[in-house]
Amino acid sequence: MSVSTEHLRVAVLLSGRGSNLAALIEAAGQELAIALVGAFGDRADAPGLARAAAAGIPTASFSPKSYPDKASFEAALFAAVAASGAELVVLAGFMRVLTAHTVEQWRGRLINIHPSLLPKFQGLHTHARAIEAGEREHGASVHFVTPVLDGGPVLMQTRLPILPDDTPESLATRLLPLEHRLLVAAVRLFAERRVRLDGDQIAVDGQMIGEPLKL
Ligand code: GRF
């Protein structure tokens, strides 16, 4: 892939399989004007890191156990992220809560994809919780990361109906391809330099958005 200076430099942080990363890799190979400058993980055996390496993306993993505390682990991780020249950092299945210090340093340049219609179902087991709660709709959100877990301003969402016989697994399976499209669409807005975080407000094309954009 040839990379122009206008390509947005994107780093991805992950802990697991990396299907969202794979969606970004595929889109970057087509029309999405990003350069994936690094994939970073908190476990060396994360399949997502192998996917990245296979695509020629530099990878690094940082084990929290190798550091005396959370702050020094994050300092090492984000020093590597900064060294990659990343302009945007995407948390895509990164299973750690970042410290307020890191989040503030990267404020406006750090996004997460979360499998629920935030502010509903922050945290884990979102599909099961949505079904248990009797929700008729579920979805995924791309939001800016702030010190509040899954609580930052939401840029874009995708929705799908919950079917009567849905299980957490069937719901997750139907949602995943929508998540991939959502993440690519959200990153595209950054690549086109159309998004800005102003305090707790998101501006797209210079206009504050009152509610999340819809995929
Ligand atoms: C996705 O469901 C994402 O929304 C959540 O973690 C999962 C990561 O999946 N934050 P993958 O590693 O990208 O396949």
Side-chain angles (χ1 to χ4, degrees):
M1 184 182 68
S2 68
V3 174
S4 88
T5 51
E6 280 155 27
H7 279 60
L8 182 77
R9 297 173 68 87
V10 177
V12 175
L13 269 59
L14 54 80
S15 302
R17 76 194 148 179
S19 70
N20 279 285
L21 168 69
L24 289 177
I25 292 171
E26 191 183 336
Q30 296 169 359
E31 83 308 0
L32 183 63
I34 63 169
L36 287 160
V37 293
F40 301 89
D42 58 348
R43 17 184 327 165
D45 62 352
L49 292 182
R51 283 188 196 236
I57 297 165
T59 65
S61 75
F62 294 82
S63 169
K65 291 194 192 112
S66 309
Y67 297 88
D69 53 33
K70 192 174 166 82
S72 51
F73 159 70
E74 274 184 28
L77 171 61
F78 276 85
V81 170
S84 74
E87 299 168 90
L88 177 71
V89 179
V90 178
L91 305 184
F94 186 66
M95 301 303 287
R96 287 185 186 276
V97 179
L98 297 171
T99 60
H101 175 74
T102 300
V103 167
E104 289 301 344
Q105 271 186 329
W106 288 83
R107 194 178 176 91
R109 300 176 291 155
L110 182 60
I111 60 172
N112 180 45
I113 180 158
H114 180 78
S116 81
L117 292 172
L118 290 173
K120 289 182 175 170
F121 310 118
Q122 300 168 345
L124 297 175
H125 310 302
T126 56
H127 314 299
R129 287 161 60 207
I131 292 170
E132 273 162 29
E135 297 285 335
R136 302 172 64 142
E137 267 194 326
H138 188 48
S141 306
V142 170
H143 66 94
F144 282 98
V145 178
T146 66
V148 181
L149 178 64
D150 300 326
V154 179
L155 172 62
M156 196 183 278
Q157 290 181 323
T158 183
R159 298 172 176 264
L160 82 174
I162 297 181
L163 305 177
D165 55 356
D166 257 329
T167 63
E169 293 71 28
S170 69
L171 189 53
T173 301
R174 284 193 296 115
L175 178 59
L176 194 61
L178 297 178
E179 282 193 41
H180 298 158
R181 286 177 46 207
L182 176 72
L183 184 60
V184 169
V187 169
R188 176 173 290 114
L189 288 177
F190 287 90
E192 294 172 349
R193 323 266 171 185
R194 294 170 60 192
V195 188
R196 190 167 45 82
L197 185 65
D198 195 351
D200 276 336
Q201 301 287 322
I202 299 172
V204 176
D205 297 332
Q207 300 280 338
M208 299 297 178
I209 58 169
E211 55 185 43
L213 303 180
K214 295 184 176 63
L215 180 66

